[in-house]
């Protein structure tokens, strides 16, 4: 059960060591919050609940949602205590600061109060389980002010169970309160959400978790390095329970080693890469030293570090450098060496270079996660990043290509350099253009667009000697088309033209020549070493534009 209570176990003072006959209680249970002041990272929710209790504006149903270990079910139990507390003298009312010593407070904390019923929806999913709640809700509380139902992981109830609960949830008896907890609020029907007051419990920040873990270590009489607690806090990903479980393991490891909880031991325990080793590895990548970088990665792998965690650490470092470059505040939890290294790299690296490194390491991280050979995939990802670190910025490369500054070798041979689509028309006053391309351009200029298009797209020229035009019969034209061409040419040039078809292959059409020229130019650019290197560094990239590109359908 996701945030289950300590059923049947009385709380022990935090600093009290368990006796020889008492079973050991893990830190995640021992340091479960007993008051709202001990609930870390949820100040907004505590303020809202406090105001509601003081003003007697309590909802009949509450829904707590959030990731694992942020205190959803603990909050539900605290609300139950707050609503049923009677104070040390037995005359108190609902309060945001339950006394913890009255019989209702102690019974709820120990999980034995008859009027506070906790149900795990993961194992009670059916409509019959909900029907028991509905039937029992009609009866008044036995000894408490309110009868409270706590349903953990409520999203796992069946559709029929939710439907059966709706009416009671909307208009419950005055003495009943429902407290729901879930990690997947998107699976709770909207009809249920609309009947509840919802609290979204936030992830607990790494700084708050590290401070809490330091407090726990002091209470347990254990020495712990600040960096070790920071590593545990980050590994917990906002979950107090996860972090305390890791800390418990770290303390056990320290006990075997005869010392405190050290950062090195935590890294080894979690399979994390040493920050100094990560900095050294990134420096080798940026320096383009492939052999040394691969040796550094293999060293960490031999120490038992997961290759994916190495790339994750590289991603975190690149992200930190980028934040330093934009001028965000320094993270006080970071060691001085780490902050100095990031500031130095931020001054040297451009934003495009950082973004490129991020994309390369992110792609490598995903590849390693799916690879059959993780370490080999990690090595290939590093080599790709090393190769890309020596390349110019893609934006500058694109500008150079678009502006024509990047000159490509031109293809050799007459066949590789066909006549342009729009060659200058050398037109005399009453003469004709010197070539067929000029003739088509002249027709365009004179307004004969349809005829010009027909000749450009479909005419294969066998012989052009003005005023004679012999076309290939492989692209036959109707008599009407030939007549239209002759009329247009006479109008444009002032001369009568002889237009005929001949059984010969003829030259490629002007459109085919233009496409061939465009493709030759494109391939020449792709064959340049610089562009080849760019495509090798950025798989999936495409050449969108280049000098001489035409928009030809």
């Amino acid at each position: 059960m996701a945030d289950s209570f300590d059923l049947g176990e009385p709380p022990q003072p935090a600093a009290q060591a368990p006796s020889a006959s008492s079973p050991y209680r893990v830190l995640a249970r021992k340091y479960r919050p007993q008051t709202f002041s001990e609930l870390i990272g949820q100040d907004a929710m505590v303020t809202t609940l406090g105001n509601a209790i003081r003003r007697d504006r309590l909802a009949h149903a509450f829904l707590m949602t959030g990731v694992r270990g942020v205190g959803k079910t603990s909050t539900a139990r605290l609300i139950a205590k707050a609503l049923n507390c009677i104070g040390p003298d037995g005359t108190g009312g609902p309060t945001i600061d339950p006394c913890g010593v009255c019989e209702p407070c102690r019974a709820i904390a120990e999980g034995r109060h008859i009027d506070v019923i906790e149900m795990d929806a993961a194992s009670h999913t059916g409509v019959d389980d909900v029907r028991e709640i509905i039937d029992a809700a009609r009866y008044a509380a036995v000894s408490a002010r309110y009868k409270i139902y706590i349903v953990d992981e409520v999203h796992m109830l069946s559709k029929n169970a939710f439907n059966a609960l709706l009416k009671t949830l909307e208009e419950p008896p005055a003495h009943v309160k429902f407290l729901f907890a879930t990690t997947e609020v998107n699976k709770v029907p909207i009809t249920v959400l609309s009947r509840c007051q919802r609290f979204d419990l936030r992830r607990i920040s790494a700084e708050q978790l590290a401070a809490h873990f330091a407090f726990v270590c002091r209470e347990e009489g254990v020495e712990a390095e600040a960096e070790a607690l920071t590593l545990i806090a980050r590994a917990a990903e906002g979950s107090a329970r996860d972090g305390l479980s890791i800390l418990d393991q770290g303390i056990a490891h320290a006990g075997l080693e005869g010392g405190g909880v050290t950062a090195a031991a935590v890294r080894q325990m979690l399979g994390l890469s040493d920050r100094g080793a990560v900095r050294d590895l990134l420096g080798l990548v940026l320096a383009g030293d492939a052999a040394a970088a691969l040796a550094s990665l293999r060293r960490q792998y031999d120490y038992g570090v997961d290759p994916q965690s190495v790339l994750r650490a590289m991603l975190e470092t690149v992200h930190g450098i980028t934040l330093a470059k934009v001028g965000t505040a320094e993270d006080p939890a970071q060691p001085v060496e780490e902050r100095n290294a990031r500031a130095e790299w931020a001054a040297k690296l451009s934003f495009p270079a950082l973004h490129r490194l991020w994309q390369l390491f992110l792609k490598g991280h995903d590849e390693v996660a799916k690879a059959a050979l993780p370490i080999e995939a990690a090595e290939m990802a590093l080599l790709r990043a090393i190769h890309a670190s020596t390349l110019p910025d893609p934006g500058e490369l694109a500008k150079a290509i678009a502006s024509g500054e990047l000159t490509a070798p031109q293809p050799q041979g007459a066949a590789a350099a066909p006549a342009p689509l729009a060659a200058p028309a050398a037109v005399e006053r009453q003469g004709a253009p010197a070539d067929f391309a000029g003739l088509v351009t002249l027709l365009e200029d004179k307004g004969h667009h349809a005829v010009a298009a027909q000749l450009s797209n479909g005419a294969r020229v066998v012989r052009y000697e003005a005023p004679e035009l012999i076309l290939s019969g492989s692209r036959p034209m109707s008599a009407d088309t030939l007549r239209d061409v002759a009329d247009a040419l006479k109008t444009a040039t002032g001369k009568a033209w002889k237009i005929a078809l001949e059984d010969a292959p003829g030259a490629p059409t002007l459109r085919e020549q233009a496409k061939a020229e465009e493709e030759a130019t494109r391939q020449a650019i792709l064959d340049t070493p610089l562009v080849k290197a760019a495509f090798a560094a950025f798989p999936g990239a495409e050449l969108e534009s280049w000098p001489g590109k035409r928009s030809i359908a």
Side-chain angles (χ1 to χ4, degrees):
M1 184 162 59
D3 284 288
S4 59
F5 296 142
D6 304 340
L7 301 179
E9 295 187 31
Q12 301 178 13
Q16 178 180 341
S19 64
S21 60
S22 301
Y24 175 69
R25 300 178 73 207
V26 296
L27 298 181
R29 300 178 67 184
K30 184 175 181 180
Y31 290 92
R32 169 162 281 175
Q34 299 299 319
T35 65
F36 280 105
S37 61
E38 296 176 6
L39 189 66
I40 60 175
Q42 313 300 340
D43 297 340
M45 181 194 67
V46 173
T47 299
T48 302
L49 284 173
N51 292 337
I53 291 174
R54 281 189 290 271
R55 298 176 183 177
D56 194 21
R57 299 180 63 89
L58 288 169
H60 57 270
F62 297 89
L63 175 69
M64 274 69 69
T65 179
V67 299
R68 68 197 184 281
V70 293
K72 298 182 297 297
T73 317
S74 295
T75 299
R77 174 169 275 186
L78 291 177
I79 293 176
K81 290 169 65 175
L83 297 183
N84 285 324
C85 178
I86 60 175
D89 56 1
T91 61
T95 174
I96 194 63
D97 297 310
C99 65
V101 297
C102 66
E103 176 57 24
C105 282
R106 289 188 291 110
I108 293 172
E110 295 165 11
R112 57 178 174 81
H113 201 293
I114 193 172
D115 292 318
V116 178
I117 302 96
E118 181 178 353
M119 184 183 86
D120 177 17
S123 55
H124 298 80
T125 63
V127 67
D128 291 337
D129 300 304
V130 171
R131 190 175 289 119
E132 291 181 11
I133 295 178
I134 297 172
D135 293 340
R138 294 179 296 176
Y139 302 102
V142 175
S143 62
R145 186 178 296 112
Y146 293 103
K147 177 179 285 189
I148 295 177
Y149 291 94
I150 299 173
V151 183
D152 200 11
E153 297 302 338
V154 68
H155 67 273
M156 300 192 75
L157 289 178
S158 67
K159 181 180 179 181
N160 290 337
F162 274 124
N163 290 336
L165 185 62
L166 286 179
K167 188 61 179 177
T168 302
L169 185 61
E170 185 172 19
E171 298 178 359
H175 60 273
V176 173
K177 301 291 183 185
F178 290 98
L179 305 177
F180 299 139
T182 178
T183 53
E184 300 185 52
V185 69
N186 58 301
K187 294 185 179 179
V188 179
I190 189 64
T191 50
V192 173
L193 292 176
S194 64
R195 289 167 167 82
C196 300
Q197 190 171 99
R198 173 175 167 175
F199 291 104
D200 289 85
L201 277 68
R202 302 172 54 188
R203 289 181 184 269
I204 306 171
S205 69
E207 292 77 10
Q208 289 175 311
L209 285 176
H212 181 58
F213 299 156
F215 162 76
V216 171
C217 287
R218 289 194 298 271
E219 293 295 309
E220 294 292 313
V222 174
E223 295 291 330
E225 294 179 359
E227 186 179 356
L229 299 181
T230 299
L231 289 172
I232 294 174
R234 288 180 175 169
E237 296 183 342
S239 170
R241 184 177 61 237
D242 287 8
L244 287 173
S245 297
I246 298 172
L247 179 60
D248 221 339
Q249 184 180 355
I251 292 174
H253 181 79
L256 292 175
E257 298 293 331
V261 181
T262 64
V266 171
R267 286 195 188 94
Q268 183 180 12
M269 184 177 66
L270 298 178
L272 298 176
S273 184
D274 180 80
R275 302 306 303 179
V278 171
R279 292 195 299 272
D280 294 341
L281 180 56
L282 182 59
L284 294 172
V285 169
L286 295 176
D289 193 339
L294 294 182
S296 174
L297 176 62
R298 278 286 176 174
R299 247 190 331 268
Q300 297 186 60
Y301 180 70
D302 292 340
Y303 289 149
V305 178
D306 182 12
Q308 191 174 5
S309 74
V310 175
L311 287 171
R312 177 171 179 169
M314 299 285 275
L315 283 168
E316 291 174 350
T317 302
V318 172
H319 177 255
I321 295 170
T322 307
L323 292 183
K325 191 169 184 66
V326 299
T328 57
E330 293 182 344
D331 183 358
Q334 287 286 353
V336 176
E337 297 83 357
E338 183 79 6
R339 295 202 298 268
N340 292 341
R342 291 184 177 184
E344 183 179 349
W345 274 322
K348 294 180 179 178
L349 297 174
S350 66
F351 282 115
L354 289 170
H355 296 326
R356 185 162 71 242
L357 282 172
W358 172 266
Q359 291 297 331
L360 290 168
F361 288 142
L362 184 62
K363 181 177 176 62
H365 181 274
D366 294 342
E367 289 176 349
V368 171
K370 303 172 185 175
L373 303 171
I375 183 60
E376 285 79 1
E379 289 176 339
M380 294 303 295
L382 282 186
L383 290 174
R384 189 163 58 232
I386 290 170
H387 186 65
S389 67
T390 61
L391 293 177
D393 172 63
E396 298 299 325
L397 181 63
K399 290 179 182 177
I401 294 175
S403 65
E405 296 177 9
L406 181 63
T407 57
Q410 296 299 317
Q412 301 296 320
L421 177 64
V427 184
E428 301 176 0
R429 182 161 186 167
Q430 291 189 347
D435 55 26
F436 178 67
L439 183 66
V440 173
T441 302
L442 177 63
L443 290 173
E444 282 280 358
D445 294 342
K446 296 292 185 178
H448 301 284
H449 304 296
V451 173
Q454 288 176 324
L455 293 177
S456 176
N457 295 331
R460 295 182 183 273
V461 179
V462 176
R463 187 169 65 255
Y464 175 79
E465 294 178 2
E468 181 183 44
L469 177 61
I470 307 300
L471 303 177
S472 172
S474 62
R475 287 283 185 94
M477 292 186 179
S478 66
D480 291 340
T481 301
L482 293 177
R483 186 167 50 252
D484 292 341
V485 171
D487 292 343
L489 289 176
K490 183 176 181 179
T491 303
T493 63
K495 294 182 179 181
W497 282 70
K498 176 186 175 182
I499 312 295
L501 297 178
E502 185 176 304
D503 189 13
T509 67
L510 294 179
R511 182 175 182 273
E512 291 170 344
Q513 294 178 31
K515 293 193 69 173
E517 179 186 16
E518 181 180 347
E519 180 57 29
T521 303
R522 175 180 178 275
Q523 190 58 48
I525 292 175
L526 292 176
D527 289 340
T528 58
L530 184 60
V531 176
K532 279 186 175 180
F535 273 85
F538 304 101
E542 296 181 1
L543 185 61
E544 291 289 343
S545 62
W546 57 90
K549 180 181 180 182
R550 301 180 176 93
S551 299
I552 302 175

